[in-house]
Amino acid sequence: MLNTLLTKAGAGEKIAMLTCYDATFAKLLALAGVDVLLVGDSLGMVVQGAANTLDVTMQDMIYHTRLVAKGASATVIMSDMPAGSYEHDKTTALTNAQTLIAAGAHIVKIEGGGDMVETARYLVENGVPVCAHLGFTPQSVEKLGGYKIQGKTEESAQIMLADAQAMVQAGVDMVLFEMVPAAVAAHITQHIGVPTIGIGAGAGCSGQVMVLQDLLGIYTGTADKAPQDYKAPRFAQNFLQQAGSVQQAVVDYVQAVKAGSFPEDRHSY
Ligand code: KIV
């Protein structure tokens, strides 16, 4: 299933990815043509009501991966490895990654560049497909000093390119960029041999991902922000407003990604 998707992406078809945390939405999203269901640790915020992703556990990820797999048996499922499940040693990372695969994931996502390359290589060598998440990495929100665009300077953009290339050398199947200048993400996409997925990273990526709640205009804030104080991220778009039904909103998102009409410049940096 993953190989078929990678072949399509290699032939130039854009990949439409959305986060998904349960069986009902998994079914709906799969029927609407979403290529990849991301069981994101963003569930910490949008399902569990936390301020960030840091307290999401392996048990949470296993549970939600199982639910999504129950709802969509013929769609690629990517599961986030939660904070603390892979950074410390690669043997633990492999055990946890294999547990997510056993729960129904086809590929796991880990955050970080240089210092995570050997972990990615170890997972791949042991048969676990990996997506590398670069740019703004939510599990490092405290270290990064908040939600900040990454790769804005020439030097940091070069480091990001080198990280992406090292990850591809290590065998990852995809690279995801979050909050990266559009020109930087497009340049890296042209210089690595695997599909890239963007969120706040411009239209030059091979595909796009959005948090499902953002697509549906559900902006209820987070644990540390009341709804009236919460500002939706620049890269979010409420597709439901125009669509009239949840199913149609997702279909519209998929079509917009495939046609290259989403994201627009106003969603990018
Ligand atoms: O957890 C998540 O939803 C993610 C996306 C923001 C890419 O990692």
Side-chain angles (χ1 to χ4, degrees), residues 17-21 25 29 36 38-47 53 80 109 133 138 147 176 178 197-200 208-219 222 230 232-233 235-240 250 253 262:
M17 187 187 298
L18 272 180
T19 67
C20 185
Y21 317 100
F25 269 109
L29 269 45
V36 184
L38 171 62
V39 187
D41 59 358
S42 50
L43 68 85
M45 285 96 88
V46 298
V47 177
T53 62
D80 268 338
K109 175 159 76 61
H133 184 149
Y147 290 80
L176 185 146
E178 179 164 357
I197 306 295
I199 175 162
Q208 300 294 325
V209 62
M210 208 193 312
V211 171
L212 179 61
Q213 276 73 358
D214 285 347
L215 176 137
L216 298 176
I218 303 172
Y219 306 123
T222 52
Y230 180 75
F235 46 80
Q237 177 165 321
N238 179 347
F239 277 81
L240 183 58
V250 179
Y253 166 75
F262 178 83

Side-chain angles (χ1 to χ4, degrees), residues 51 87 92 120 146 157 167 172 193 214 225-226:
E87 311 91 308
T92 307
M167 279 293 188
V172 304
D214 285 347
K225 280 207 178 68

